[in-house]
């Protein structure tokens, strides 16, 4: 019997409360609430936040939407900050100042994780601190107004990878951040989508309970930046999984094994379920230039090729051939 | 107890005795010995703290932010480029009012790359709202690190403290350092007691501890409607730190028998002085030797005012110390490109402007990248100063000492 019971969950107080100023339809808030609902003991948790839209939307002095101790330091150092929090509580526990070391959860966007914060994150993972780092990946620097990041997918429009007569959006593929973190070898790693909320919560709980660094890469569709109506967030988050643009998997540092999660495993078992990438792209205005004024079959095919290659590589990692 | 320690070892020894909880650092010459010694102390159980090897100075100070906000007593150390890499976070440390202690082993900033001493690194951080204390030798570095915890953690202050010592000249030269007994230091610094704030009518320790009655948010967005007040509070804390720096210095003098002037400035032969040198750190030792030599030859007209506490700046103490002096030579060990002289020169002139003390003030920039400052060079500065005063015309131009033009 799972610890996740909707009826019980509905009664639980949210640790990321209402009153925040996230956009309607923002996936980050959904991911955050799911993760915070996965905390085993709401009285023993500290949240660390990298600079980003969620960080600024969750606080503005003298207000806060956080019902747990929370710290924001800077953009690129959330993992280092969390490392320090962990060491401090270990020291304070040794000296009897606190009863136990709290669970530490870090939230960072793709800019703060994949780009500017990668070194700090890698260092913290290597040092083996005990925290769960949740990357909410909205594929661009959304806080500053939709600029290209290392997590922006190929051919996506952003305000710094503009679509013009010569260049059709971002020319490069995204950085495989979850694989990079998994390559450290000592961290529990998982990908997650708010469309599969139970899967996300189970992974969050696993990450929190893992004695060592844990990393969840959650896709976080952004209606402002991806250009879709706010009521489509979960639909987009689901299509990302169904098209294998964002497959769901886990990496177990104990066995050093990759494992597909149920929604993606179903596709692996029955490849006919794998939807064409076009279905994911056509919902999003950031890919509109692939469909009009004329349909760019060549570019869509290139994206499909990226998806297929990454998917096949993942199947191989998971021992499915 | 007398130990033969170099400056870095003296700093590490003081940290070992100061009940520190978390140390995070990244190695950089000439700070390295400090972190090596601390690693050794933790490894052999002499220091019961958590020591983290950061993957950069930026992460070292970022870890310190997390640890200090959680309620721990924290220490880190760096030099030059490492300090520059920390720059962004230094302002966050002081704005979060975290009483972090950091030793800066002064080294010239790149470029060109250089490992030897000058004060360009810490001078670049003089507006970061850290208390800055410059030490003359290893003994003072030891004494000041111990004092720094008490100063920064005082609830009227709650500011980070930088303790400076000159790279190689002090960090790597061994001297006799009189260290106090462990118990004496422990009783002096005790353990960190976080300040309390009132939230919803409840007194809550200002930490991330989930066991607090009300959970606190650290580092929220803070715009035009509150940011200015928070900066004003930092300025207020800096002003309030003056009294605390003095008290801690005096209290420490009672347990150690050692004092450094009034904690802000230290004077040497100023009673009979008509001319004065103003400088920071180890150069003061050479100036004192020159003064002794001059006295032995019958000239007792040169004195020294060593600035120990640069932030908060001793603008009230300086005019008093310089009363009756005809000429002042301000020695800056850092460049000031495009400015009217180095930072010490500018601060000193500013401090005297509204006072009744108006000697001739010459500015001299020296010793960049570890260039030696010899007795001969100091003597030539003295001669130059006397000449300026006798000419009756202010120089209004910065001299560069010991450089090939």
């Amino acid at each position: 019997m799972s610890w996740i019971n909707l009826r019980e969950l509905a009664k639980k107080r949210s640790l990321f409360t209402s009153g925040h100023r996230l956009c309607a339809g923002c996936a980050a808030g959904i991911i955050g609430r799911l993760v915070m609902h996965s905390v085993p003991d709401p009285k023993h948790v500290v949240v660390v936040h990298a600079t980003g839209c969620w960080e600024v939307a969750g606080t503005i002095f003298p207000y806060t939407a956080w019902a747990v101790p929370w710290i924001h330091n800077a953009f690129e150092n959330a993992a280092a900050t969390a490392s320090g929090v962990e060491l401090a509580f270990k020291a304070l526990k040794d000296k009897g100042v606190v009863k136990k070391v709290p669970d530490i959860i870090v939230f960072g966007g793709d800019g703060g994780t994949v780009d500017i914060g990668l070194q700090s994150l890698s260092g913290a993972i290597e040092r083996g601190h005990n925290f769960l780092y949740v990357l909410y990946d909205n594929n661009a620097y959304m806080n500053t107004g939709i600029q290209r990041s290392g997590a922006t997918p190929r051919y996506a429009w952003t305000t710094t990878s503009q679509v013009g007569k010569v260049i059709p959006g971002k020319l490069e593929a995204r950085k495989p951040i979850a694989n990079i973190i998994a390559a450290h070898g000592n961290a529990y790693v998982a990908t997650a989508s708010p469309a599969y909320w139970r899967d996300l919560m189970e992974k969050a709980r696993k990450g929190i309970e893992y004695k060592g660094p844990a990393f969840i890469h959650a896709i976080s569709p952004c209606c402002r930046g991806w250009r879709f109506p706010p009521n489509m967030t979960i639909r987009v988050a689901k299509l990302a999984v169904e098209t294998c643009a964002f497959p769901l998997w886990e990496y177990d540092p104990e066995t050093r094994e990759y494992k597909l999660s149920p929604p993606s495993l179903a596709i692996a078992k029955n490849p006919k379920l794998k939807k064409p990438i076009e279905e994911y792209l056509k919902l999003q205005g950031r890919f509109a230039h692939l469909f009009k004024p004329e349909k760019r079959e060549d570019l869509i095919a290139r994206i499909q090729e990226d998806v297929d290659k990454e998917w096949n590589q993942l199947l191989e990692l998971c021992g499915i051939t | 107890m007398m130990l033969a320690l170099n400056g870095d070892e003296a700093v590490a020894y003081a940290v070992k005795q100061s009940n520190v909880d978390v140390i995070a650092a990244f190695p950089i010459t000439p700070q390295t010995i400090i972190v090596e010694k601390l690693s050794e102390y933790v490894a052999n159980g002499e220091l019961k703290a958590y020591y983290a090897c950061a993957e950069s100075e930026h992460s070292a100070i970022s870890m310190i932010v997390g640890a200090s906000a959680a309620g721990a007593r924290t220490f880190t150390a760096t030099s030059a480029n490492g300090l520059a890499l920390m720059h962004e976070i230094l302002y966050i440390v002081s704005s979060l009012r975290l009483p972090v202690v950091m030793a800066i082993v002064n080294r010239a900033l790149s470029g060109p790359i250089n490992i030897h001493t000058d004060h360009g690194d810490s001078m670049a951080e003089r507006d970061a709202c850290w208390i800055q204390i410059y030490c003359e030798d290893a003994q003072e570095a030891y004494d000041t690190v111990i004092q720094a915890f008490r100063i920064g953690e005082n609830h009227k202050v709650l500011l980070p403290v930088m303790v400076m010592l000159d790279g190689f000249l002090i960090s790597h030269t061994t001297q006799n350092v009189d260290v106090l007994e462990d118990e004496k230091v422990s009783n002096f610094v005790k353990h960190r007691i976080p300040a309390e704030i009132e939230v919803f009518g409840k007194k809550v320790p200002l930490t991330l501890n989930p066991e607090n009655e009300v959970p606190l948010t650290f580092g929220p967005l803070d715009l035009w409607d509150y940011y200015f007040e928070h900066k004003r509070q930092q300025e207020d804390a800096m002003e309030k730190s003056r009294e605390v720096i003095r008290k801690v210095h005096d209290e420490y003098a009672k347990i150690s028998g050692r004092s450094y002037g009034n904690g802000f400035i230290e004077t040497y032969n100023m009673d009979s002085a008509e001319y004065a040198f103003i400088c920071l750190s180890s150069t003061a030792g050479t100036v004192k030797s020159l003064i002794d030599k001059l006295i032995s030859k019958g000239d007792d007209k040169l004195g020294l005012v060593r600035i120990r506490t640069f932030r908060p700046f001793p603008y009230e103490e300086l005019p008093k110390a310089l009363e009756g002096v005809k000429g002042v030579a301000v020695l800056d060990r850092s460049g000031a490109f495009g400015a009217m002289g180095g930072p010490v020169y500018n601060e000193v002139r500013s401090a005297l402007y509204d006072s009744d003390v108006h000697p001739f003030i010459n500015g001299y920039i020296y010793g960049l990248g570890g260039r030696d400052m010899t007795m001969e060079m100091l003597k030539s500065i003295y001669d130059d100063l006397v000449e300026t005063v006798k000419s009756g015309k202010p120089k209004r131009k910065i001299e560069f000492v010991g450089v090939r033009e």
Side-chain angles (χ1 to χ4, degrees), chain A residues 83-84 87-88 91 127 129, chain B residues 11-12 14-26 31 34-43 46-54 59-61 63-65 67-68 72-77 100-101 149:
Chain A
S83 309
L87 294 179
R127 288 188 303 269
H129 297 284
Chain B
V11 167
V15 172
K16 181 184 79 162
Q17 294 179 305
S18 295
N19 299 327
V20 167
D21 300 307
V22 176
I23 298 155
F26 185 83
Q31 154 266 35
I34 298 178
V35 295
E36 287 172 342
K37 286 307 283 187
L38 289 172
S39 169
E40 188 185 316
Y41 292 144
V42 172
E46 279 181 87
L47 170 56
K48 300 219 179 323
Y50 286 83
Y51 175 95
C53 296
S59 283
I61 191 71
M63 271 196 255
I64 291 294
V65 166
S68 188
R73 178 174 285 170
T74 57
F75 176 82
T76 185
V100 172
V101 173
F149 291 104

Side-chain angles (χ1 to χ4, degrees), chain B residues 164-393:
Chain B
M164 265 63 69
L165 56 153
D166 283 344
F168 290 105
L169 298 179
I170 301 303
S171 68
H172 285 60
T173 49
T174 301
Q175 73 175 77
N176 281 332
V177 176
D178 185 9
V179 301
L180 304 176
E181 300 87 61
D182 290 350
E183 205 189 328
K184 222 175 196 179
V185 178
S186 183
N187 286 339
F188 184 77
V189 296
K190 299 191 175 66
H191 290 275
R192 181 177 162 200
I193 299 167
E196 286 187 330
I197 57 162
E198 204 176 299
V199 203
F200 305 132
K202 287 169 184 152
K203 290 255 186 200
V204 182
L206 192 54
T207 66
L208 287 171
N209 188 357
E211 292 165 23
N212 291 345
E213 233 182 313
V214 182
L216 298 181
T217 285
F218 281 71
L221 180 65
D222 195 33
L223 301 179
W224 43 263
D225 46 356
Y226 285 100
Y227 180 93
F228 203 174
E229 280 75 19
H230 291 140
K231 289 292 141 185
R232 181 68 188 83
Q233 286 175 356
Q234 284 179 232
E235 178 59 38
D236 190 48
M238 197 47 107
E239 282 309 308
K240 285 180 177 148
S241 76
R242 291 177 190 277
E243 187 200 343
V244 177
I245 292 166
R246 191 170 293 116
K247 269 190 176 164
V248 171
H249 170 266
D250 294 350
E251 202 182 312
Y252 185 82
K254 277 183 201 145
I255 65 158
S256 66
R258 283 184 297 276
S259 59
Y260 301 96
N262 57 14
F264 285 84
I265 58 169
E266 187 196 20
T267 59
Y268 194 77
N269 197 46
M270 285 304 292
D271 289 343
S272 61
E274 290 178 12
Y275 302 93
F277 276 23
I278 294 182
C279 70
L280 313 175
S281 305
S282 67
T283 303
T286 321
V287 174
K288 286 173 189 170
S289 296
L290 173 68
I291 291 169
D292 290 347
K293 198 174 158 189
L294 291 169
I295 290 171
S296 74
K297 289 182 175 173
D299 175 5
D300 65 351
K301 300 297 175 220
L302 181 63
L304 165 73
V305 177
R306 176 172 73 90
I307 296 177
R308 176 176 185 256
T309 305
F310 188 78
R311 285 287 181 269
F313 193 79
Y315 57 77
E316 283 180 0
E317 290 82 352
L318 268 178
K320 279 180 210 149
L322 295 172
E323 260 172 34
V325 166
K326 295 180 197 164
V328 175
V330 183
L331 311 183
D332 268 287
R333 200 166 200 152
S334 55
F337 307 97
M340 221 179 103
V344 185
Y345 172 77
N346 273 304
E347 298 269 356
V348 167
R349 279 170 61 105
S350 193
L352 296 188
Y353 188 86
D354 290 326
S355 78
D356 299 327
V357 182
H358 289 284
F360 285 93
I361 307 179
N362 287 353
Y364 301 88
I365 288 174
Y366 75 99
L368 301 193
R371 174 91 25 114
D372 206 7
M373 177 61 126
T374 63
M375 295 263 276
E376 292 70 34
M377 285 152 80
L378 287 170
K379 176 66 170 56
S380 73
I381 291 172
Y382 179 37
D383 293 343
D384 190 49
L385 178 64
V386 172
E387 202 179 299
T388 304
V389 172
K390 287 196 173 144
S391 75
K393 286 181 200 148

Side-chain angles (χ1 to χ4, degrees), chain A residues 270-290:
Chain A
N270 183 1
K272 275 189 280 180
L273 295 175
K274 186 178 168 208
K275 292 186 176 168
I277 193 65
E278 197 178 319
E279 288 194 30
Y280 176 61
L281 303 176
K282 70 185 181 192
L283 288 183
Q284 305 174 45
R286 63 175 172 159
F287 295 112
H289 56 289
L290 304 182

Side-chain angles (χ1 to χ4, degrees), chain A residues 61 64 70 76-77 94-95, chain B residues 21 50 62 88 217-218 221:
Chain A
F61 189 87
T64 181
W70 181 95
E76 70 282 49
N77 61 359
D94 290 352
K95 292 182 178 171
Chain B
D21 300 307
Y50 286 83
S62 298
E88 177 199 22
T217 285
F218 281 71
L221 180 65

Side-chain angles (χ1 to χ4, degrees), chain A residues 32 37 74 78 152 161:
Chain A
H37 269 321
T152 305
S161 61

Side-chain angles (χ1 to χ4, degrees), chain A residues 56-70:
Chain A
V56 300
T59 68
I60 184 165
F61 189 87
Y63 304 106
T64 181
W66 290 95
V68 294
W70 181 95

